[in-house]
Amino acid sequence: MVEVLIVLLLMHVAIALHELGHYVVYRGYRVPVLGVYLGGPPWVLRWKRKGTEYRLGLIPLFGAVLVREDDAKHLTPPDWVRVYLAGPLASLLAALTGFVLWGVLKGSLLFTLKAFAAVLIFPVLLVGDLFRALFGDLSTVGAIPMFQVTGNVIRQGGLEGSALVWGALNAVLFWFNLLPIPPLDGGQAVYRLFAGRKWVEKVYPYALGFGLAVLFALLEIAVLKDVARLLGR
């Protein structure tokens, strides 16, 4: 149980750092931020400060920074790209920090180099996991297996395991959000870079629908598989 709470905490902090990247760049461009959401509903904390509403939810791996389109009219396409890529960049730096700490705690930077190599090939692993989630073996899909694996790493590795899990969580956030499909950061950055062109405006609604459908399918598969596991016990 303690390991699950640690994983949840690491997830929420990882999301907070990711959204902080977006937030800092928005504020750097003097764009008022309406809301910062960390996690998904049900909301356990809600407060407002200087015109910005903050929400903390129980469901991990969700987050958003909300602004008014009218307040951001002065942003150029490259500015928008910087806004959307600031979140993944924050996640990448957090991942590398976790892997460096892991290597230091292991007493050898060789582990850090191996972790860096794993970050570089992570897209291949991520695509494989997405393919299995949608079309293949579902035995490792869902929150329950994820918490089991990460919990075991933390239980057996202690601080070293926590550093490794932290690095892995942020690596997932980095690469997953770079996928060039909206509403993910990569897709939004591509859209903003080419916004205004007729073919982009025609394609974007379909791309957004496809991206939302994929995310919903992944969530649905994970939830249904977890429910099946619980009912089977």
Side-chain angles (χ1 to χ4, degrees):
M1 184 61 183
V2 174
E3 291 81 7
V4 171
L5 294 177
I6 293 175
V7 174
L8 280 172
L9 177 61
L10 291 178
M11 285 181 174
H12 276 81
V13 175
I15 288 292
L17 287 176
H18 181 96
E19 299 304 331
L20 180 62
H22 297 307
Y23 178 87
V24 168
V25 178
Y26 270 130
R27 295 308 300 265
Y29 285 128
R30 300 183 181 278
V31 177
V33 175
L34 294 180
V36 178
Y37 301 161
L38 305 177
W43 307 111
V44 293
L45 285 177
R46 296 176 66 169
W47 70 97
K48 200 166 186 177
R49 184 173 182 271
K50 295 184 178 180
T52 302
E53 182 186 32
Y54 298 88
R55 297 185 185 183
L56 178 63
L58 286 179
I59 300 178
L61 296 182
F62 287 92
V65 176
L66 304 181
V67 300
R68 288 192 189 93
E69 195 74 20
D70 288 344
D71 292 332
K73 283 183 177 180
H74 62 285
L75 296 186
T76 65
D79 292 338
W80 278 112
V81 172
R82 294 185 190 98
V83 166
Y84 284 115
L85 295 188
L89 177 60
S91 296
L92 175 61
L93 294 176
L96 297 180
T97 300
F99 290 138
V100 168
L101 177 59
W102 179 57
V104 170
L105 292 173
K106 294 288 287 186
S108 172
L109 291 181
L110 178 62
F111 290 97
T112 296
L113 295 177
K114 290 181 178 180
F116 286 173
V119 171
L120 294 178
I121 66 170
F122 206 87
V124 178
L125 304 176
L126 185 60
V127 170
D129 287 340
L130 290 175
F131 183 84
R132 283 192 296 273
L134 290 173
F135 308 109
D137 179 21
L138 302 181
S139 61
T140 60
V141 176
I144 294 176
M146 186 274 295
F147 279 113
Q148 288 174 338
V149 172
T150 53
N152 286 336
V153 171
I154 292 174
R155 188 181 306 111
Q156 296 172 9
L159 185 56
E160 293 177 9
S162 298
L164 181 58
V165 170
W166 169 255
L169 288 174
N170 282 283
V172 170
L173 283 176
F174 169 67
W175 283 114
F176 187 71
N177 276 280
L178 284 185
L179 291 175
I181 56 173
L184 300 177
D185 293 329
Q188 295 292 78
V190 171
Y191 168 70
R192 292 291 184 174
L193 191 59
F194 297 101
R197 302 185 183 185
K198 290 184 178 180
W199 67 270
V200 173
E201 300 302 330
K202 290 180 179 179
V203 169
Y204 179 75
Y206 299 101
L208 179 60
F210 172 77
L212 291 173
V214 170
L215 295 178
F216 179 78
L218 291 173
L219 178 62
E220 191 76 8
I221 290 172
V223 171
L224 290 176
K225 194 63 182 177
D226 283 338
V227 171
R229 284 192 187 92
L230 292 174
L231 293 178
R233 290 184 176 179

